[in-house]
Amino acid sequence: MQREALRLRRQGKKIVLVPTMGALHEGHLSLARLARKCGDVVVVSIYVNPIQFGPKEDFAKYPRPFAKDRRLAISAGVDIIFAPKNLYAGDASTTISESFFSQGRCGAFRAGHFDGVTTVVAKLFNIVQPDVAIFGQKDAQQCDVLERMARDLNFPVRIVRAPIIRDENGVARSSRNAYLSAAEYQVAVHFAKTLKSAGSVAEAKRKLGKVPGLRLQYVEAANGQLCAAVFVGKTRLIDNVPLKK
Ligand code: PAF
């Protein structure tokens, strides 16, 4: 991939990267379609990055429907699918750590998660050599962390945040929605509506605390967003909306 990226760059091609962990859905496809408008060659990476999962998280059961992903990526106009089997040497001993935006929100509950994200994304930047990289705003904290990393480490990459894509009932698209039963999905609808209607952290906490079938993990205001994580059954969902002024 790196050889091909360097060859493309020598030809003056502008590379746009959409990093994913696969299980592609409409949210990812909207990123790929946006990528088409931002450069000449669209690369989607598909890699379920082991080091961003905690020991009790869903790394083993994370969906990996590669044939379907390949079809969807091609239909969205992707030029290259980069799907490595493994990205880490057995004795890898270097990680990247961002220490401001990674605190609080998901960082308070997922120890080491953002170090895993920054490390793999830095590796993807070095391998794919993108001019532009696109990330979804659904993972608002991830966007904050990665923008800061790119700035602090002088990666010559423009980071684009793409808006959250929601389904017809307002639920933010996520690969983890596939885990939800029909009843749990209704709770996810309630989660999205309640967060949208809340004007402050206190109001969101109060309202979300009353939604049956939902266990609140956190509500926090950060970088202009009202962010929340909840459990619906065993599935952890995150969402965010702009903070009301
Ligand atoms: O958002 C994701 O899917 C992942 O965190 C990412 C950015 C692909 C890194 O593994």
Side-chain angles (χ1 to χ4, degrees):
M1 179 68 240
Q2 195 180 51
R3 253 198 317 274
E4 177 63 5
L6 291 168
R7 191 184 68 81
L8 289 163
R9 286 184 73 102
R10 273 195 302 274
Q11 291 176 357
K13 300 274 199 264
K14 193 167 169 184
I15 301 175
V16 188
L17 171 65
V18 180
T20 82
M21 298 205 299
L24 302 183
H25 50 68
E26 193 43 44
H28 297 115
L29 300 181
S30 77
L31 304 187
R33 287 192 284 266
L34 176 61
R36 262 274 57 97
K37 297 184 190 151
C38 296
D40 305 307
V41 180
V42 176
V43 180
V44 163
S45 62
I46 297 182
Y47 181 61
V48 185
N49 173 34
I51 69 165
Q52 69 185 74
F53 288 80
K56 293 192 178 139
E57 294 184 348
D58 55 346
F59 174 69
K61 79 163 190 176
Y62 200 85
R64 291 164 170 85
F66 184 70
K68 184 176 170 211
D69 284 351
R70 189 168 175 280
R71 245 192 349 266
L72 288 172
I74 291 169
S75 74
V78 169
D79 299 301
I80 298 176
I81 300 169
F82 174 52
K85 280 214 156 53
N86 175 30
L87 276 181
Y88 300 98
D91 59 353
S93 51
T94 308
T95 52
I96 291 185
S97 188
E98 190 283 332
S99 61
F100 180 72
F101 285 119
S102 62
Q103 305 303 302
R105 291 183 278 175
C106 296
F109 297 93
R110 303 187 71 189
H113 169 71
F114 286 111
D115 290 357
V117 172
T118 45
T119 301
V120 79
V121 170
K123 284 166 73 70
L124 289 169
F125 284 177
N126 285 330
I127 296 167
V128 179
Q129 303 274 312
D131 298 87
V132 179
I134 305 189
F135 297 90
Q137 169 66 18
K138 185 180 82 69
D139 297 297
Q141 187 173 13
Q142 173 169 279
C143 290
D144 296 341
V145 167
L146 291 173
E147 280 174 0
R148 178 56 62 89
M149 175 191 84
R151 186 202 75 176
D152 287 352
L153 299 184
N154 304 89
F155 280 103
V157 182
R158 182 164 69 88
I159 300 219
V160 172
R161 277 185 196 230
I164 299 180
I165 300 297
R166 298 182 181 278
D167 70 13
E168 59 284 5
N169 298 308
V171 176
R173 299 272 188 183
S174 162
S175 304
R176 291 187 170 101
N177 294 352
Y179 301 150
L180 300 171
S181 68
E184 288 171 341
Y185 174 76
Q186 291 310 319
V187 181
V189 173
H190 213 136
F191 169 43
K193 284 197 175 131
T194 308
L195 188 65
K196 190 174 170 208
S197 71
S200 65
V201 171
E203 187 184 347
K205 272 190 184 159
R206 187 168 43 74
K207 288 181 165 172
L208 288 170
K210 289 184 190 152
V211 175
L214 182 155
R215 184 159 61 82
L216 181 60
Q217 189 175 58
Y218 71 79
V219 181
E220 263 185 60
N223 219 11
Q225 307 296 318
L226 186 59
C227 304
V230 300
F231 280 93
V232 179
K234 289 195 169 128
T235 305
R236 185 175 180 277
L237 300 176
I238 58 172
D239 200 348
N240 61 89
V241 293
L243 262 178
K244 292 180 185 151
K245 302 258 159 64

